[in-house]
Amino acid sequence: MNDMQNELPDTECWELLASQELGRLGYHLLDEVHVVPINYVALPDQERLVFRTTEGSKLLGIVMHGDVAFEIDQVGERQAWSVVARGRAVQLDGDDARQAMDLPIHPWVADDRYVLVAIKVTEVTGRRYDLLRPRT
Amino acid sequence: MNDMQNELPDTECWELLASQELGRLGYHLLDEVHVVPINYVALPDQERLVFRTTEGSKLLGIVMHGDVAFEIDQVGERQAWSVVARGRAVQLDGDDARQAMDLPIHPWVADDRYVLVAIKVTEVTGRRYDLLRPRT
């Protein structure tokens, strides 16, 4: 442990997750690890993160191996923080999908045919760092 | 494909990798995927990314399964871009490690005992997106 990095309580991790709309999803695909940026919405009450994706390799990877990691971070002048959520990704359907359709998810690309995916978060960890030097 | 997302040539991906100092590393650990923020230096001529890490789970994961993905991104008012490098991570030692010690890597945490790791990049992909709405 290092006294310059402070672990964040779960409630603060969820507040930070709810404050952002872009994160990075790590997932398995055919024994490879992949990382992609995604726009998402956090639902702290349900301990879920929701995003949408077009049919393709990202979704395929998640369906084949639902274990995922999701990361957000921010660097300021003197401090930085990062939050990592771990969990399992599931494709939403039925009522779950209909409810999630109204969430303010802002994907980078217009996707006419998309599916909604929820990450059921099982573990969240966050750290705040006092930077070793002021950022320029 | 979507005409609003444009693939970037490899040279531009490397220019972007060289322009940043913070990215996110995705790696395997015991059949789980992990994502962590890391400070790094890009060496386009060698097609390598170099970072340092203290002994711990991150390094352990890389040694056990060297397949990694590394992501950077930036969101502007009307455009966003992301670059993903895939490759294999190797711990540097000997002359390689001594040469890499002078690289301007700025880790968030002071680490007295660290090792230098190079990602030998085998594939780099980048995309630029015209955002669907101006960011506020």
Side-chain angles (χ1 to χ4, degrees):
Chain A
M1 283 302 288
N2 189 301
D3 58 3
M4 291 200 300
Q5 62 174 305
N6 303 302
E7 290 197 18
L8 303 177
D10 285 8
T11 49
E12 191 169 351
C13 290
W14 277 105
E15 284 169 11
L16 290 169
L17 284 165
S19 75
Q20 304 286 309
E21 61 177 29
L22 173 70
R24 295 92 198 170
L25 179 73
Y27 62 102
H28 293 276
L29 180 63
L30 298 176
D31 201 33
E32 288 182 345
V33 58
H34 289 254
V35 178
V36 292
I38 56 168
N39 285 94
Y40 74 104
V41 166
L43 303 174
D45 294 346
Q46 301 178 28
E47 296 189 335
R48 286 187 181 193
L49 308 172
V50 179
F51 65 94
R52 54 192 241 188
T53 184
T54 47
E55 299 267 342
S57 72
K58 192 196 303 185
L59 178 65
L60 176 66
I62 289 166
V63 168
M64 287 178 64
H65 198 312
D67 169 66
V68 297
F70 183 80
E71 191 266 359
I72 59 171
D73 56 57
Q74 199 167 77
V75 182
E77 287 236 344
R78 295 180 179 280
Q79 286 194 323
W81 58 257
S82 73
V83 172
V84 176
R86 297 190 46 73
R88 297 195 74 77
V90 292
Q91 184 176 336
L92 297 179
D93 51 24
D95 286 346
D96 279 348
R98 276 186 287 277
Q99 285 169 19
M101 274 181 177
D102 294 330
L103 293 173
I105 305 172
H106 304 296
W108 286 357
V109 178
D111 42 5
D112 292 334
R113 296 187 59 193
Y114 64 85
V115 294
L116 286 155
V117 178
I119 302 171
K120 296 182 174 179
V121 176
T122 53
E123 181 189 3
V124 68
T125 53
R127 287 190 176 80
R128 178 169 285 121
Y129 306 83
D130 292 319
L131 296 178
L132 300 174
R133 60 177 176 86
R135 298 278 147 161
T136 52
Chain B
M1 284 301 289
N2 190 299
D3 58 3
M4 292 200 300
Q5 61 174 307
N6 303 301
E7 290 198 18
L8 303 178
D10 285 10
T11 50
E12 190 169 350
C13 291
W14 277 106
E15 285 170 11
L16 290 168
L17 284 165
S19 74
Q20 305 286 307
E21 61 176 28
L22 174 70
R24 296 92 198 170
L25 179 73
Y27 62 102
H28 292 277
L29 180 64
L30 299 175
D31 202 33
E32 287 182 345
V33 57
H34 289 254
V35 179
V36 292
I38 57 168
N39 286 92
Y40 74 103
V41 167
L43 303 175
D45 293 346
Q46 302 178 28
E47 296 189 334
R48 287 187 180 193
L49 308 172
V50 178
F51 65 95
R52 54 193 242 190
T53 183
T54 47
E55 300 265 343
S57 72
K58 193 197 302 185
L59 179 64
L60 176 65
I62 289 166
V63 169
M64 287 176 66
H65 197 311
D67 169 67
V68 298
F70 182 79
E71 191 266 358
I72 60 172
D73 56 58
Q74 200 167 75
V75 183
E77 287 236 343
R78 296 180 179 281
Q79 286 195 323
W81 57 259
S82 72
V83 172
V84 175
R86 297 190 46 73
R88 297 193 73 77
V90 292
Q91 184 177 334
L92 296 179
D93 50 24
D95 285 346
D96 279 349
R98 276 187 288 277
Q99 285 169 17
M101 273 181 176
D102 294 329
L103 294 173
I105 305 172
H106 304 295
W108 286 357
V109 178
D111 41 6
D112 291 333
R113 296 187 59 191
Y114 64 87
V115 293
L116 286 156
V117 178
I119 302 171
K120 296 182 175 179
V121 176
T122 53
E123 181 189 2
V124 68
T125 53
R127 287 189 177 80
R128 178 169 285 119
Y129 306 83
D130 292 319
L131 297 178
L132 298 173
R133 61 178 176 86
R135 299 277 147 161
T136 52

